[in-house]
Amino acid sequence: MTHDYDDIINLPHYEPKHHPRMSMWNRAAQFAPFAALTGYDAAIQESGRLTDDWIDLGESGNEELNRKMELLLSKLSEQPNVTIEYFVPDEHKEGGSYQSYTGNVKRIDEYEQTMVMTDGKKIQLRMIRNITGI
């Protein structure tokens, strides 16, 4: 009894002689524009990105920071060079990051509650955690 494909069923797989076989990576790339979940990879990366929590200084930490601010205010005419550690809230999720900035203090803007540096950078006073170099 013969079947429809008996004459070709045991032949070797055809390999073209003039065109190299396409890699699996390139074959998969052909279908990338049709990905069903666009933005999914970015969402996964964002959820995996770590942020720091705001750490309250406590009463003694706030007292020490206030003493440093008073000392800084007394030397403000000299535009002292200081290093400031401050908290920057994250724009996309809960928390943020602590950053350090070194520069000369130009003035303290009491209306905007910011520390203005000679290069124009402004740091929110309520976000400052530590001041060194005074």
Side-chain angles (χ1 to χ4, degrees):
M1 173 163 47
T2 62
H3 297 289
D4 291 339
Y5 299 104
D6 280 347
D7 59 336
I8 63 169
I9 196 75
N10 292 322
L11 291 177
H13 181 69
Y14 173 73
E15 291 287 336
K17 293 178 180 27
H18 302 294
H19 300 290
R21 182 171 264 224
M22 186 181 288
S23 70
M24 292 295 259
W25 177 262
N26 288 339
R27 287 180 63 86
Q30 290 179 333
F31 300 101
F34 303 105
L37 299 173
T38 56
Y40 181 72
D41 290 335
I44 293 295
Q45 281 183 331
E46 177 63 25
S47 67
R49 188 173 53 87
L50 299 177
T51 58
D52 295 326
D53 292 328
W54 168 261
I55 299 172
D56 190 16
L57 292 175
E59 190 174 326
S60 62
N62 282 331
E63 287 176 7
E64 184 176 340
L65 186 59
N66 285 339
R67 280 195 299 274
K68 290 179 179 182
M69 285 295 289
E70 288 175 16
L71 181 60
L72 180 64
L73 285 170
S74 69
K75 296 182 175 189
L76 204 55
S77 61
E78 304 168 16
Q79 294 185 343
N81 187 293
V82 296
T83 299
I84 301 168
E85 184 180 347
Y86 62 102
F87 186 76
V88 178
D90 194 283
E91 295 178 4
H92 302 290
K93 59 195 301 189
E94 187 85 16
S97 64
Y98 283 95
Q99 297 184 6
S100 184
Y101 179 81
T102 302
N104 294 41
V105 181
K106 183 177 182 180
R107 64 186 170 93
I108 305 290
D109 188 334
E110 292 182 25
Y111 179 74
E112 290 186 9
Q113 291 293 300
T114 58
M115 182 179 295
V116 182
M117 311 305 280
T118 54
D119 63 358
K121 180 162 182 68
K122 294 182 180 182
I123 300 171
Q124 293 288 321
L125 294 177
R126 64 184 174 86
M127 297 298 182
I128 295 176
R129 179 178 176 171
N130 193 15
I131 302 172
T132 55
I134 305 172

